């Protein structure tokens, strides 16, 4: 049964033994794993010197969960432990192992999260929406998202992390696991508009089985610093994934996305496109890797990242990469960082538009390609409105 409109809160109920064992292992790893420095590969552009994890008090999340249907399970993860312990025990942590200090801390201390489970051949007509608020200064929230689609299932899930204002110094540490079964279809959207003083660390991984399809979008507007890591594992023959990313930074924000498209089976397809707009003194880094495993013949993979700088003080790094261990593949990548096109501005101003209106139209046109990749429906309309609001803030 779906529990629409539920509010997720931490519970004091006894946890299963398997979870207690995993928390103990996570606690042990926390004591041995140090925070990465800029000398560690993948962290060269993200400075954690100002991060003191122990200064944040652990706090429960303020979360709203809605949508779904009577045929699927949509509920707070801690509440689901008593009703779906075997399901959670099988899938939780199966895709994102506790191998770094952030995932280890999440493993040891998570108290909030959401479970979305769609049984075999069930089609969820209504989008599932999850809204997490990070508004308590000096606190850290450890959050888990577990989405499991069995064979032939279909669902759309929109998860949003937000803050009311831009002065909240808090931290969100989230782990997202997306399991897409054979011939299943998942549309997952993860958006964040956190305080510009907040830290965000998110480890996200999907696994798509034979003939399954994943349409994954990630949009970052808020946050002061941190890193989002997104891995798509095409584990079954004929599986497909489309990954869309966008970010808009200003006021000294630093946005960091690390993506991996892993092709582990034959005849798989992935298509990744990121676009970023940076104003003021904001910075961003995107590091993308296409990895084709040995034997994953007839892989078709593409990735691109394009950035538009709205200020001479803004900066972006785009670093694509390929690791190919098969000989029958089609893999391409592209990256670009540029200022606003002066010719486009001149053309619009020559038609009577003001400097501000011309600039807004150019930027909106640059991001329109991302909106078009989101598909049709109410979720796309809401996200398009959020993009427009964010551009008004930074332009």
């Amino acid at each position: 049964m779906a529990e629409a409109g539920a509010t997720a809160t931490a519970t004091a109920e006894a946890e299963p033994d398997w979870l207690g064992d995993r928390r103990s292992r996570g606690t042990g790893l926390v004591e041995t794993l140090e925070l990465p420095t800029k000398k560690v590969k993948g962290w060269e552009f993200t400075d954690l010197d100002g991060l003191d994890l122990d200064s944040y008090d652990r706090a429960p999340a303020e979360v709203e969960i809605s949508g779904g249907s009577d045929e699927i399970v949509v509920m707070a993860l801690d509440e689901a432990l008593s009703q779906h312990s075997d399901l959670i025990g099988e899938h939780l942590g199966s895709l994102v192992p506790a191998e770094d200090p952030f995932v280890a801390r999440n493993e040891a201390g998570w108290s909030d999260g959401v479970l979305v489970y769609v049984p075999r051949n069930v089609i969820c007509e209504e989008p599932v929406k999850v809204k997490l608020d990070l508004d308590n200064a000096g606190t850290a929230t450890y959050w888990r998202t577990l989405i499991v689609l069995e064979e032939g299932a279909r669902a759309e899930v929109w998860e949003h992390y937000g803050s009311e204002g831009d002065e909240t110094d808090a931290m969100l540490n989230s782990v997202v696991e997306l399991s897409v079964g054979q011939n299943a279809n998942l549309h997952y959207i993860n958006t964040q508009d956190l305080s510009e003083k907040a830290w965000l660390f998110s480890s996200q991984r999907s696994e798509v089985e034979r003939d399954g399809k994943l349409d994954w979008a990630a949009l970052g507007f808020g946050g002061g610093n941190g890193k989002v890591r997104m891995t798509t594992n095409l584990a079954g023959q004929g599986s497909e994934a489309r990954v869309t990313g966008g970010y808009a930074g200003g006021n000294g924000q630093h946005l960091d996305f690390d993506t991996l498209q892993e092709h582990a089976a034959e005849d798989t397809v992935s298509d990744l496109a990121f676009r970023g707009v940076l104003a003021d003194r904001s910075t961003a880094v995107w590091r993308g890797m296409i990895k084709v495993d040995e034997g994953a013949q007839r892989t078709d993979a593409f990735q691109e990242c394009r950035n538009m700088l709205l200020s001479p003080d803004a900066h972006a790094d785009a670093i694509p990469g390929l690791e190919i261990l098969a000989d029958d593949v089609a893999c391409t990548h592209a990256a670009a960082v540029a200022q606003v096109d002066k010719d486009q501005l001149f053309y619009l101003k020559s038609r009577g538009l003001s400097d501000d209106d011309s600039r807004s139209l150019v930027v909106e046109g640059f991001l329109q390609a991302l909106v078009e990749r989101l598909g049709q429906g109410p979720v796309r309309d809401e996200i398009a409105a959020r993009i427009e609001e964010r551009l008004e803030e930074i332009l």
Side-chain angles (χ1 to χ4, degrees), residues 199-262:
W199 293 86
L200 171 63
F201 298 97
S202 188
S203 300
Q204 308 176 1
R205 183 180 174 92
S206 65
E207 186 168 276
V208 188
E209 298 297 340
R210 185 184 182 98
D211 296 323
K213 294 183 179 181
L214 172 64
D215 194 344
W216 185 356
L219 301 177
F221 300 146
N225 206 339
K227 179 186 278 286
V228 176
R229 290 170 289 182
M230 303 168 59
T231 296
T232 302
N233 181 18
L234 296 167
Q237 184 176 6
S239 56
E240 300 179 13
R242 181 171 66 170
V243 182
T244 303
Y247 45 89
N251 198 29
Q253 291 175 265
H254 177 72
L255 303 166
D256 185 340
F257 290 89
D258 198 321
T259 67
L260 171 62
Q261 300 152 256
E262 182 175 3

Side-chain angles (χ1 to χ4, degrees), residues 118 246 268 309:
V118 187
T268 54
L309 306 183

Side-chain angles (χ1 to χ4, degrees), residues 357-372:
D357 288 343
S358 298
R359 185 176 162 109
S360 295
L361 279 177
V362 171
V363 175
E364 289 173 7
F366 176 74
L367 292 179
Q368 184 60 33
L370 294 183
V371 176
E372 292 174 354

